[in-house]
Amino acid sequence: MHRPLLVAALIATTGLSFATVSPVHAATTPAASGTMGGNPVPGVCMLSREAVFAQSKVGQAASERLKTLAQQQQQPLNTDIQAFQQKAASLTEAQRQQQGQALQQRMQSFKAQVEATQGKVMEQIGQQAQPLVNSAYTSHHCGLLLNRDAVLGGNTANDLTPDVVSGLDSRITSLNFNLEPAPTGAAAGN
């Protein structure tokens, strides 16, 4: 494996890890920017799970914890990649391929660990949030709940997201977790 491929793979591995938990900007939808509005539709409510994860204290703390764990795990891998790059010219083609493949498998395993951990943490936060979603749904007299992130425009008066974030913040502010082991076959399967 050549240097640019290793570096690109490493950047891709660490970069996509936090995409789902990154902050959501409120003005990304036309409704939030004020270009559309209209009357609230009785019984139709919205919720952004992404915003709940990004804006809640527990979601922000989990994102920071995952980032820290990933960086700690990534350090030895970075060191080994740099060592490989420095000695690659003195290796035979077969040695370069063997060592490059081993590094690529480690990167894939690392990526799978981060993704498995992120999935588990999001599931835990989702379990904590679900009773709050149910309560907000009932108190707003909803008959239909839509994903706010899929709504192109409209009145956001029936957005349950702020209620769920507030309730989650009063319920839980952090989670304690470590990186999950890579799923079996993750390194060979990717």
Side-chain angles (χ1 to χ4, degrees):
M1 179 179 277
H2 300 290
R3 177 184 175 154
L5 293 176
L6 281 172
V7 173
L10 185 60
I11 290 169
T13 298
T14 58
L16 87 98
S17 309
F18 310 106
T20 308
V21 186
S22 65
V24 175
H25 300 287
T28 58
T29 64
S33 67
T35 59
M36 292 184 181
N39 296 322
V41 179
V44 176
C45 298
M46 295 178 279
L47 175 75
S48 172
R49 287 189 180 274
E50 285 186 16
V52 169
F53 292 125
Q55 295 171 3
S56 66
K57 291 176 184 176
V58 68
Q60 292 171 359
S63 181
E64 284 300 313
R65 172 79 175 141
L66 183 58
K67 183 178 179 181
T68 299
L69 290 172
Q71 287 172 341
Q72 290 171 352
Q73 185 78 13
Q74 186 179 345
Q75 288 302 325
L77 186 55
N78 286 346
T79 301
D80 291 346
I81 289 171
Q82 289 174 348
F84 172 74
Q85 291 170 346
Q86 290 173 353
K87 68 180 181 180
S90 66
L91 299 173
T92 66
E93 182 63 29
Q95 290 172 324
R96 272 194 305 274
Q97 283 185 345
Q98 180 184 19
Q99 291 179 22
Q101 286 175 348
L103 282 171
Q104 186 175 24
Q105 286 177 341
R106 284 180 56 201
M107 287 187 303
Q108 290 172 342
S109 179
F110 169 68
K111 177 183 173 185
Q113 278 185 281
V114 171
E115 288 174 350
T117 305
Q118 180 183 18
K120 184 175 180 179
V121 168
M122 289 180 73
E123 183 179 322
Q124 290 174 347
I125 294 171
Q127 289 172 352
Q128 291 289 324
Q130 191 58 47
L132 302 166
V133 172
N134 295 347
S135 176
Y137 182 89
T138 302
S139 69
H140 283 260
H141 307 288
C142 301
L144 177 65
L145 183 60
L146 301 175
N147 178 357
R148 184 187 81 189
D149 300 322
V151 174
L152 298 176
N155 189 308
T156 60
N158 289 335
D159 184 359
L160 307 182
T161 307
D163 292 349
V164 175
V165 169
S166 176
L168 201 52
D169 284 351
S170 67
R171 178 180 272 202
I172 185 170
T173 58
S174 66
L175 290 174
N176 188 18
F177 61 91
N178 292 309
L179 281 180
E180 291 291 310
T184 306
N190 288 339

